Amino acid sequence: IAKEVAKLLEMKAQLGGDEGKHKFVLKTPKGTRDYSPKQMAIRERVFNAIINCFKRHGAEVIDTPVFELKETLTGKYGEDSKLIYDLKDQGGELLSLRYDLTVPFARYLAMNKITNIKRYHIAKVYRRDNPATTRGRYREFYQCDFDIAGQFDPMIPDAECLKIVHEILSDLQLGDFLIKVNDRRILDGMFAVCGVPDSKFRTICSSVDKLDKMPWEEVRSEMVGEKGLSPEAADRIGEYVQLHGGLDLIEQLLQDPKLSQNKLAKEGLGDMKLLFEYLTLFGITGKISFDLSLARGLDYYTGVIFEAVLLQQENDHVEEPVSVGSVAGGGRYDGLVGMFDPKGRKVPCVGVSIGIERIFSILEQRVEASEEKIRTTETQVLVASAQKKLLEERLRLISELWDAGIKAEILYKKNPKLLNQLQYCEDTGIPLVAIVGEQELKDGVVKLRVVATREEVNIRRESLIEEIRMRTSQ
Amino acid sequence: IAKEVAKLLEMKAQLGGDEGKHKFVLKTPKGTRDYSPKQMAIRERVFNAIINCFKRHGAEVIDTPVFELKETLTGKYGEDSKLIYDLKDQGGELLSLRYDLTVPFARYLAMNKITNIKRYHIAKVYRRDNPATTRGRYREFYQCDFDIAGQFDPMIPDAECLKIVHEILSDLQLGDFLIKVNDRRILDGMFAVCGVPDSKFRTICSSVDKLDKMPWEEVRSEMVGEKGLSPEAADRIGEYVQLHGGLDLIEQLLQDPKLSQNKLAKEGLGDMKLLFEYLTLFGITGKISFDLSLARGLDYYTGVIFEAVLLQQENDHVEEPVSVGSVAGGGRYDGLVGMFDPKGRKVPCVGVSIGIERIFSILEQRVEASEEKIRTTETQVLVASAQKKLLEERLRLISELWDAGIKAEILYKKNPKLLNQLQYCEDTGIPLVAIVGEQELKDGVVKLRVVATREEVNIRRESLIEEIRMRTSQ
């Protein structure tokens, strides 16, 4: 009997399996999405603004594979390492999807022994986070990175990175923003003078990093409870991380009796002062805040760190509020390339990463609200027919237009109605219709119709290409 | 003793492990590569040619995630399914990297209930193949896909896909090429009249697909030996697959006593005739060959299939010969969307995929051979100084230029030598140098130097931006 039951259960499972085939779940993986043509049109606008800025600053562009050897990513991300996507071991190398573009960049520099480059890289990265996708956060998302690698005089490339963030956020007109700046050396010096043991620097830094999402009390109890920091040390940190300001605060801290005695902090504060001098020359200090609570989660930063946040909701008429959060971040990582070099040779680097998903969400909502009509094609002319049996003539004409570089479409019907053809132009924003008809063919002309005005003119066939070019050039 | 030995071995393994850290393998995963700035510049040229063509034909653009639910890819690729990359099960959904852009497109259509779209999609796909990367074949590679979905009159969209392949390959000037065309219905009809049992159609089709890499004798022995086909059936197939030609061959086969009796084959041949009529109107039949040996490996094709091959090596002076292989392929897949639709509703589709890696390899070798100098940045002007202590002035000036949209760079040194600054322009192709010096500052001018001619003129500071624009506009 048991055998028979097992057989029946197996048969049932098979039937269930077949049924399952049709109950297929039709979705993209968790935390990912498709981009529709309309979304792509908005995305292209954002990319163009960013790429234009990167090119304005003389950057080259590179690309790297979407996955790296697993060991390439090991030990670079601190507590965030658990969010890395691994590939299945199907024989051969162990691979992981890239978590950011910075570590692959450092691997690229070490592998090719490059000691001097200014490059940008725009590509998708992957994090097994539990993001609120309604707020424009995803598991698969684009990063737009600009980095300067090389041994240079202090703070000149660092200042340029901040100028770039300022230019891009201004250009995209996302509303008011603030760029918070700090330095890992100032943080480490602060931890030291507050009485944090060396071995706890990184983990306490991770706690400070949560201050943008949690109140101080919670962060403090994480430091004392989970991480075993003394309450006194935590309280001393609590005082420092409240501070933010400009050149005046830097001067004040340079006079701070404890901090000024710490070598690291003093170095960091000296460079911060220099940075602010350069930012003054760039005329952008109005949107920069030296902020001791800024920590940045990643392990590899060694100097200046920064993060840009949007200060208010751009469009008050949007019902679902868009998260007002970080839209760019970066910093200096002088040790990362050396981690990949067989002889540990260092290449100092500083860079910025623009988080375009949030920016994209904001612009998408703005387009929705404004009811702006966005064209998703660039078609200049529809080749149409006024009577039946003119498919051959349409194909002949459109072929001529394509070969002349004109962007042209036809409806894929043998005998489409003229009304349907005109409606297609209305729907998709095609400005011109080239109409072939029996009379026009006899006369050697094509009737050119302007969709917006309904104006129609007969154009000699041999002048048609020039006429379309003239009427659609901007 | 055994215990002690085990302990020692363990210690040794640990030491080995630590040592391994420094012996880190510095490479990209097997079958992948980085793109350097110079390679990116070439890649951009190829992409632009392809995107321009897709836009000329009125296509919208979409994007999908790099991975899909594993079950989305299941049962779509036949014998090639073993080449799919799976992600590790880290809890949650089972995921696979996309194998092509066609299946994600079909999933996108079904999921969004789209029955009518013309779109392109350019993105990387992943195959665990053992490719010869020297011949431009990789495990991570770009596909550039153009597809037309919708219920239309026969062969009009199919003909446009072939026109697109013809335009792109002509535009890229890769040398002579041939587009082979066949139809799955003709193949299946042929299998039927040759005596292949229905159940063996797909697997025998896979064997025929190998004819571009293997001689007929090997393919025949695979059919008879591995796949258990009768020798007589194989020999009958052998006769058909030798045939290739144009309209004349189609007419001949329409008269073939066996084939003309088969419903599927007759349908396929009728449509093939119509296709050739449209291709004649497009004026491209000179490079099209109706070829009964063309099979295409993928399971999902249902009608016309095609593949473009380069016929000869473009540049005889290149030492390492570039593979003369397939650079584009595609076909009609009317059932794929229905596989995703809960009610099995079909959306007929036809599309083409351009394989840019081989094209890119050919163009890269051509650039190497020609010693053409490729600029990797677009910088218009270097802001330089003639004396020391002018960093502040350089920063002030370059900030003005950036804000005016001028592409400008400085060297990241406090006091760079003028010679080094001029050398940098020579190396990177920057055409202009804006030189600030003490005298120029007093006079309210900037010295503008043309790198190519060494000509120098003093320009009033307030006219500098206009002067640079004028001199660098094309």
Side-chain angles (χ1 to χ4, degrees):
Chain A
I1 290 174
K3 249 190 188 171
E4 286 302 303
V5 169
K7 234 185 204 170
L8 283 169
L9 280 175
E10 200 183 319
M11 280 168 71
K12 198 186 158 195
Q14 276 173 0
L15 284 170
D18 266 354
E19 205 182 0
K21 245 188 191 172
H22 300 285
K23 273 200 210 153
F24 186 84
V25 187
L26 206 54
K27 67 186 282 290
T28 61
K30 184 179 173 188
T32 69
R33 63 168 160 180
D34 298 316
Y35 280 83
S36 71
K38 204 169 148 191
Q39 291 171 318
M40 286 297 280
I42 300 169
R43 198 175 99 176
E44 291 300 310
R45 282 189 199 175
V46 180
F47 278 157
N48 284 339
I50 292 170
I51 291 172
N52 282 343
C53 178
F54 291 164
K55 286 189 173 173
R56 194 157 60 237
H57 288 260
E60 305 181 280
V61 58
I62 70 159
D63 194 18
T64 66
V66 81
F67 43 63
E68 295 277 344
L69 298 183
K70 186 173 165 59
E71 57 179 347
T72 299
L73 307 190
T74 303
K76 311 300 186 304
Y77 300 108
E79 295 182 4
D80 289 346
S81 297
K82 61 181 183 296
L83 303 180
I84 293 173
Y85 276 98
D86 291 329
L87 269 74
K88 191 166 150 187
D89 182 1
Q90 293 171 289
E93 300 162 333
L94 291 180
L95 307 173
S96 300
L97 296 187
R98 62 185 162 209
Y99 183 84
D100 65 7
L101 302 178
T102 309
V103 168
F105 175 55
R107 192 265 308 146
Y108 173 79
L109 295 186
M111 189 172 131
N112 297 287
K113 299 193 173 53
I114 296 167
T115 55
N116 196 328
I117 191 173
K118 178 164 55 182
R119 79 90 182 80
Y120 71 91
H121 188 187
I122 295 183
K124 288 173 175 176
V125 302
Y126 299 87
R127 300 185 183 180
R128 293 180 55 256
D129 221 329
N130 281 309
T133 50
T134 48
R135 296 190 188 173
R137 294 186 61 225
Y138 289 87
R139 289 183 157 199
E140 174 187 61
F141 58 98
Y142 268 98
Q143 285 198 333
C144 306
D145 280 24
F146 171 97
D147 293 80
I148 301 170
Q151 185 69 57
F152 301 117
D153 282 324
M155 293 299 123
I156 311 177
D158 313 61
E160 183 167 2
C161 287
L162 292 170
K163 177 80 170 84
I164 281 175
V165 176
H166 193 278
E167 283 179 25
I168 289 172
L169 294 183
S170 306
D171 192 15
L172 289 172
Q173 296 179 288
L174 298 165
D176 206 8
F177 61 88
L178 185 71
I179 309 174
K180 298 179 189 173
V181 185
N182 198 1
D183 192 298
R184 272 286 164 90
R185 292 166 298 173
I186 299 175
L187 276 167
D188 285 353
M190 178 183 93
F191 293 145
V193 304
C194 289
V196 179
D198 284 16
S199 62
K200 289 201 162 73
F201 275 18
R202 286 282 74 78
T203 187
I204 293 302
C205 190
S206 289
S207 297
V208 171
D209 186 43
K210 295 175 185 165
L211 276 173
D212 56 343
K213 288 164 211 146
M214 285 184 193
W216 164 249
E217 277 314 313
E218 279 180 51
V219 171
R220 183 185 181 281
S221 78
E222 179 181 299
M223 286 177 176
V224 176
E226 286 174 44
K227 302 193 170 171
L229 189 67
S230 74
E232 299 75 31
D235 291 337
R236 279 183 222 120
I237 293 173
E239 277 171 41
Y240 278 116
V241 296
Q242 287 173 30
L243 304 173
H244 51 91
L247 259 176
D248 48 336
L249 177 59
I250 301 169
E251 296 290 2
Q252 178 194 321
L253 291 176
L254 275 169
Q255 307 305 321
D256 183 284
K258 277 185 266 165
L259 221 45
S260 63
Q261 296 308 307
N262 180 283
K263 191 172 164 282
L264 271 180
K266 213 176 146 190
E267 255 181 54
L269 286 165
D271 277 350
M272 189 60 72
K273 193 174 160 187
L274 193 57
L275 178 66
F276 267 79
E277 283 166 21
Y278 295 157
L279 299 179
T280 308
L281 293 168
F282 289 159
I284 59 171
T285 45
K287 300 215 181 287
I288 312 268
S289 168
F290 170 43
D291 189 326
L292 283 171
S293 75
L294 179 72
R296 304 272 303 150
L298 301 175
D299 267 10
Y300 50 63
Y301 290 119
T302 55
V304 166
I305 49 176
F306 52 87
E307 199 165 293
V309 292
L310 298 182
L311 283 185
Q312 58 181 34
Q313 208 173 306
E314 166 57 17
N315 191 330
D316 294 328
H317 306 295
V318 178
E319 291 206 15
E320 174 84 9
V322 170
S323 151
V324 176
S326 163
V327 288
R332 177 163 285 282
Y333 50 101
D334 289 347
L336 190 57
V337 178
M339 288 173 77
F340 290 108
D341 188 275
K343 291 180 185 163
R345 278 168 297 212
K346 289 190 175 179
V347 178
C349 296
V350 64
V352 52
S353 183
I354 313 288
I356 75 128
E357 305 297 336
R358 287 185 185 193
I359 293 174
F360 171 75
S361 284
I362 293 166
L363 294 181
E364 196 183 4
Q365 290 206 347
R366 193 186 292 176
V367 167
E368 290 293 325
S370 74
E371 290 171 30
E372 180 193 348
K373 244 196 169 178
I374 289 188
R375 275 200 77 181
T376 55
T377 67
E378 299 175 9
T379 309
Q380 296 163 290
V381 60
L382 184 84
V383 175
S385 51
Q387 293 101 15
K388 289 190 173 182
K389 297 195 180 170
L390 288 167
L391 174 60
E392 294 200 356
E393 286 306 326
R394 281 193 292 141
L395 291 179
R396 221 188 298 266
L397 178 58
I398 199 167
S399 185
E400 280 175 34
L401 297 181
W402 284 332
D403 292 342
I406 302 284
K407 294 167 188 150
E409 289 184 68
I410 46 164
L411 295 198
Y412 302 119
K413 293 273 169 196
K414 271 179 99 160
N415 298 308
K417 287 178 185 152
L418 186 58
L419 200 66
N420 290 348
Q421 296 175 89
L422 297 179
Q423 187 60 46
Y424 182 78
C425 294
E426 296 276 359
D427 293 345
T428 60
I430 299 175
L432 297 174
V433 196
I435 305 171
V436 288
E438 278 156 23
Q439 190 57 46
E440 286 82 2
L441 282 171
K442 273 185 209 142
D443 300 346
V445 298
V446 172
K447 198 186 284 297
L448 197 65
R449 179 182 168 114
V450 181
V451 176
T453 63
R454 301 181 181 188
E455 168 205 356
E456 290 186 346
V457 274
N458 282 337
I459 307 288
R460 292 216 56 79
R461 176 98 175 207
E462 59 272 23
S463 315
L464 182 65
I465 287 163
E466 208 185 333
E467 185 73 23
I468 294 170
R469 276 195 196 131
M470 199 198 65
R471 285 174 180 264
T472 52
S473 70
Q474 273 140 352
Chain B
I1 289 175
K3 249 190 188 173
E4 286 301 303
V5 168
K7 233 185 205 172
L8 284 168
L9 281 174
E10 200 183 318
M11 279 169 69
K12 196 187 158 194
Q14 276 174 0
L15 284 170
D18 266 353
E19 206 183 358
K21 245 188 190 171
H22 300 286
K23 273 201 211 152
F24 186 82
V25 188
L26 206 53
K27 65 186 285 289
T28 61
K30 184 181 174 188
T32 69
R33 63 169 160 180
D34 298 316
Y35 281 81
S36 71
K38 204 170 147 190
Q39 291 171 317
M40 286 297 279
I42 300 170
R43 198 175 97 175
E44 290 302 310
R45 282 190 199 174
V46 179
F47 279 157
N48 285 340
I50 292 170
I51 291 171
N52 282 343
C53 177
F54 292 164
K55 286 188 172 173
R56 194 157 59 236
H57 288 261
E60 304 181 281
V61 58
I62 69 159
D63 194 18
T64 66
V66 80
F67 42 64
E68 296 278 343
L69 298 184
K70 187 175 166 56
E71 56 180 348
T72 299
L73 306 191
T74 303
K76 310 299 186 304
Y77 300 109
E79 295 181 4
D80 290 345
S81 297
K82 61 181 184 297
L83 303 181
I84 294 173
Y85 276 97
D86 291 330
L87 268 73
K88 192 168 150 185
D89 182 1
Q90 293 172 290
E93 301 162 332
L94 291 180
L95 307 173
S96 300
L97 297 187
R98 62 183 162 211
Y99 182 85
D100 65 8
L101 302 176
T102 309
V103 169
F105 175 55
R107 192 266 307 146
Y108 172 80
L109 295 186
M111 190 173 132
N112 296 288
K113 298 191 173 52
I114 296 167
T115 56
N116 197 327
I117 191 173
K118 176 163 56 183
R119 79 90 182 80
Y120 72 91
H121 187 186
I122 295 183
K124 288 173 176 176
V125 302
Y126 299 87
R127 301 184 182 180
R128 294 180 55 257
D129 221 329
N130 282 309
T133 50
T134 48
R135 297 192 187 172
R137 295 187 61 225
Y138 289 88
R139 288 182 157 200
E140 173 188 61
F141 58 97
Y142 267 98
Q143 285 198 333
C144 305
D145 279 23
F146 171 97
D147 292 81
I148 300 170
Q151 186 69 57
F152 302 117
D153 283 322
M155 294 297 122
I156 311 178
D158 313 60
E160 184 168 2
C161 287
L162 292 170
K163 177 81 170 84
I164 281 174
V165 176
H166 193 278
E167 282 179 25
I168 290 172
L169 295 183
S170 304
D171 193 14
L172 289 172
Q173 298 180 287
L174 298 165
D176 205 9
F177 62 88
L178 185 72
I179 309 173
K180 298 179 189 174
V181 186
N182 198 0
D183 192 298
R184 271 286 164 89
R185 293 167 296 173
I186 300 176
L187 276 168
D188 285 353
M190 177 182 93
F191 293 147
V193 304
C194 290
V196 179
D198 283 17
S199 62
K200 288 201 162 74
F201 275 18
R202 286 283 73 77
T203 187
I204 293 300
C205 191
S206 288
S207 297
V208 172
D209 186 43
K210 294 174 185 165
L211 275 173
D212 56 341
K213 287 164 210 144
M214 283 184 195
W216 164 249
E217 277 314 312
E218 278 180 50
V219 171
R220 184 185 181 281
S221 78
E222 180 182 298
M223 287 177 175
V224 177
E226 285 175 43
K227 301 189 170 172
L229 190 67
S230 74
E232 298 75 31
D235 290 336
R236 277 181 223 120
I237 294 173
E239 277 172 39
Y240 278 116
V241 295
Q242 285 174 32
L243 303 174
H244 51 89
L247 259 176
D248 48 336
L249 177 59
I250 300 170
E251 296 290 2
Q252 179 194 321
L253 291 176
L254 276 169
Q255 306 307 322
D256 182 284
K258 279 185 265 167
L259 221 47
S260 62
Q261 297 307 307
N262 180 282
K263 190 171 165 284
L264 270 181
K266 214 177 147 189
E267 254 181 57
L269 286 165
D271 277 350
M272 190 60 71
K273 193 174 162 188
L274 193 58
L275 178 66
F276 267 78
E277 283 167 21
Y278 295 157
L279 299 180
T280 307
L281 292 167
F282 288 160
I284 60 171
T285 45
K287 298 212 181 291
I288 312 265
S289 168
F290 169 42
D291 188 327
L292 284 171
S293 75
L294 179 72
R296 304 272 305 152
L298 302 174
D299 266 10
Y300 50 63
Y301 290 119
T302 55
V304 165
I305 49 176
F306 51 87
E307 200 165 293
V309 292
L310 298 182
L311 284 186
Q312 58 181 36
Q313 206 172 307
E314 166 57 19
N315 190 331
D316 294 327
H317 306 296
V318 177
E319 289 204 16
E320 175 82 8
V322 170
S323 149
V324 175
S326 163
V327 289
R332 176 162 285 283
Y333 48 102
D334 288 348
L336 190 58
V337 178
M339 289 173 76
F340 291 108
D341 188 276
K343 291 180 183 161
R345 278 169 298 213
K346 289 191 175 179
V347 178
C349 295
V350 63
V352 52
S353 183
I354 312 287
I356 74 127
E357 304 298 337
R358 288 184 185 192
I359 294 173
F360 171 75
S361 284
I362 293 167
L363 293 181
E364 199 184 2
Q365 291 206 346
R366 195 186 291 178
V367 166
E368 290 294 326
S370 74
E371 289 171 30
E372 182 192 347
K373 244 195 169 179
I374 290 188
R375 275 198 78 180
T376 55
T377 68
E378 299 176 7
T379 309
Q380 296 163 290
V381 60
L382 184 84
V383 174
S385 51
Q387 293 101 16
K388 290 191 173 183
K389 298 196 181 169
L390 288 167
L391 174 61
E392 295 202 355
E393 285 307 325
R394 281 192 290 143
L395 291 179
R396 219 187 302 265
L397 178 58
I398 199 167
S399 186
E400 280 174 36
L401 297 181
W402 284 331
D403 292 342
I406 302 286
K407 294 168 189 149
E409 289 184 69
I410 46 162
L411 295 199
Y412 302 119
K413 293 273 168 193
K414 273 179 95 159
N415 298 308
K417 289 180 184 150
L418 185 58
L419 201 67
N420 290 347
Q421 296 175 91
L422 298 179
Q423 187 60 45
Y424 182 78
C425 294
E426 296 276 359
D427 293 346
T428 60
I430 299 174
L432 298 173
V433 196
I435 305 171
V436 288
E438 278 155 24
Q439 190 56 48
E440 286 83 3
L441 282 171
K442 273 187 207 140
D443 299 346
V445 298
V446 172
K447 198 186 286 296
L448 197 63
R449 179 184 170 111
V450 181
V451 176
T453 63
R454 301 181 181 187
E455 170 205 356
E456 290 187 346
V457 274
N458 282 336
I459 308 286
R460 292 215 57 77
R461 178 101 174 203
E462 58 272 23
S463 315
L464 182 64
I465 287 163
E466 208 185 331
E467 184 73 23
I468 293 171
R469 276 194 195 131
M470 199 198 65
R471 284 174 181 262
T472 53
S473 72
Q474 272 139 351

